[in-house]
Every structure is written in C-alpha cells, then in structure tokens.
Amino acid sequence: MTNYEKFHQLHHQSTPLILANVWNVKSAQIAEKSGFAAIATSSGAIAESLGYRDGEQIPFAELLYIIQRINATTSIPLSVDLERGYSDDPAILNDNIQKLIDSGVAGINLEDAQGEEIYLKKLNHIKNYLVKTNQQLFINARTDAFLQKLPAPLKTTLIRAELYREAGADGLFVPGVQEAETIKEITSYTTLPVNVVGVPKIASIAELTDYGVKRISMAVLLYKATYRHMEKLAQEIMDKQSFEALS
C-alpha cells in the first residue's frame, strides 16, 4: 500500500485521523516516534522557523527542501500545507505539484483565500493534471470563510463544500470553527471527511468524533507550544544563572 493509499484510508476510519503539524526533520521524527499515523507541515511554522512571514513569503524552493528532508527521514504519510499553491500560473502550479509528488508527498492543503472562483480553477487544474499524468495526491480543500469573517460563513462553507467535492477534493478543512453545532452541521452536510483544528478551547477528541469530524490537525500550535517551552527554559537559565532547568 502506498503512502497516498494509507493516507486516504486514514480519512475513512471510525476514529479521526490526528495529525501532528511539523516544521523540520526533528519535529517530524518525534511525531512518528510518538505514534502519529501521519504528519502534515504547517506553513506558518516552517516560514517562521526560517525567518519568513507566513503567506507564501518563503520561496517554494526552500519549502521544498524542508519537505524533502522530512520525507527522507520518516516513513509515515506526509501532507504539505501548500497555502494557495505558490503560484497563479498553471504551468508553475503543475511544476510545484510534480515536485511534491516526486518528493513522496501523500497530500496537500490548498486554501481558498483568493475566493472560490480562483480556487476552483486551481483545483480543477490540479485534478486534471493528476488524471493526465496518472498520479495520486490527496487534496484537502481548505475554506477560509470563518477565518476571513465573511458574511454568513456557515452558508458559504456549505456552498463551497459541495462545489469543491464536485471538483474532486478529497477532504474539507474548515479552520476557525469551534462551536459544536456548527461543526455538526458541516459534517452532516458534506460527504467529504471534515478537518478541524484541535485548539485548546475546542472539544475533546472523543466529542469531535461524535460530531463526525474525520481529521484533526494542530496548525501552528505545536510549534508555538514548543518554542514557548524553550523560551521559558532560556529565561529561567538567565534569571537563576543556573543550568538546572536543563536537567
């Protein structure tokens, strides 16, 4: 079974796929050792760790290098946060997708921050390219209606869910949603496996399972928690003038 097939299967099991969002080789290896069945990159975490702002500010070549190193040193399926595809040019988009596939990537997140019209063009283009080249890639369609605080975000999300499903998306990612009833309405409306972010305020994994969620990721939260801990240790060393905190 290929990593794509494993990854696809993990979205259609009785319990949600819990994804650790990683940003370098070490974080990916820790996630695998901890028992996660798959990992995903966080665009914000990778960008910030290399001194860039999030939002496709990091050159794609640098992002690709990190992805290649992660995939070369882990064995579980890897999904990549591709943001908006790192280009509006279809030829460059094709090239980016091919480079990810060649690197062994099982899936991507593709976000619709530019609006559903542009998004559908990109999604259709990628799907046609995959069919034409006889390749497989799990496309998690990220819709930002809640994050962008659009009017009637739930209605917009449901409309987009159907449009993206018809265009060939494999999953639906709805960041920014936390209310139980809203999550239930989304999962009951679409046949796509629904992905939400496991923020501290949100329900437990067991409750999200009952809501019908099939994928729970952590976005940039694991990265931020890791460096908050490092910051605390560093400050304690300086405050106490002692290395006891490292024990």
Side-chain angles (χ1 to χ4, degrees):
M1 184 181 292
T2 66
N3 269 348
Y4 162 80
E5 291 168 335
K6 292 177 186 175
F7 195 59
H8 187 277
Q9 190 178 78
L10 288 167
H11 289 78
H12 297 277
Q13 56 188 4
S14 58
T15 55
L17 165 61
I18 312 300
L19 277 176
N21 290 87
V22 301
W23 57 94
N24 60 16
V25 166
K26 190 62 178 178
S27 61
Q29 290 176 328
I30 289 172
E32 181 172 21
K33 185 178 179 181
S34 299
F36 286 89
I39 50 179
T41 61
S42 160
S43 65
I46 291 178
E48 187 174 298
S49 71
L50 295 177
Y52 295 98
R53 292 172 54 203
D54 195 16
E56 298 191 0
Q57 298 302 302
I58 178 175
F60 182 77
E62 292 189 42
L63 172 67
L64 182 65
Y65 174 74
I66 298 295
I67 291 162
Q68 290 169 334
R69 293 306 307 146
I70 290 173
N71 206 62
T73 54
T74 55
S75 61
I76 54 180
L78 169 65
S79 182
V80 170
D81 183 351
L82 194 58
E83 302 194 66
R84 300 180 300 279
Y86 282 78
S87 182
D88 293 334
D89 183 322
I92 297 175
L93 185 57
N94 275 355
D95 188 55
N96 291 346
I97 293 296
Q98 189 59 56
K99 285 175 179 174
L100 292 177
I101 293 174
D102 290 343
S103 299
V105 168
I108 60 169
N109 276 3
L110 189 69
E111 65 189 55
D112 65 2
Q114 294 171 292
E116 61 196 53
E117 183 177 350
I118 293 176
Y119 185 81
L120 283 168
K121 287 180 180 178
K122 289 185 177 183
L123 179 56
N124 282 312
H125 185 80
I126 293 171
K127 292 299 293 189
N128 289 337
Y129 177 75
L130 293 173
V131 170
K132 182 180 178 180
T133 57
N134 193 30
Q135 298 181 104
Q136 294 176 309
L137 188 69
F138 189 101
I139 301 177
N140 199 33
R142 171 178 147 172
T143 181
D144 285 356
F146 286 92
L147 282 185
Q148 293 182 310
K149 302 186 187 317
L150 299 182
L154 176 59
K155 180 180 179 181
T156 300
T157 296
L158 298 183
I159 290 171
R160 290 179 175 183
E162 187 61 17
L163 289 172
Y164 300 168
R165 184 195 65 79
E166 291 176 350
D170 300 289
L172 181 71
F173 182 23
V174 191
V177 61
Q178 299 181 22
E179 297 76 17
E181 292 307 314
T182 304
I183 295 172
K184 289 178 187 177
E185 191 158 352
I186 295 169
T187 60
S188 64
Y189 180 84
T190 182
T191 57
L192 291 174
V194 173
N195 176 189
V196 299
V197 176
V199 299
K201 293 180 182 179
I202 209 164
S204 67
I205 292 172
E207 289 175 308
L208 288 174
T209 302
D210 291 339
Y211 300 165
V213 171
K214 289 295 185 179
R215 170 168 162 170
I216 307 170
S217 50
M218 304 180 205
V220 75
L221 298 176
L222 190 60
Y223 167 86
K224 287 186 177 298
T226 298
Y227 284 97
R228 277 198 305 271
H229 183 62
M230 180 179 175
E231 185 177 9
K232 181 180 177 181
L233 286 176
Q235 191 62 58
E236 188 173 341
I237 290 168
M238 293 303 295
D239 290 345
K240 295 184 176 181
Q241 290 295 290
S242 166
F243 300 107
E244 184 182 354
L246 298 178
S247 61

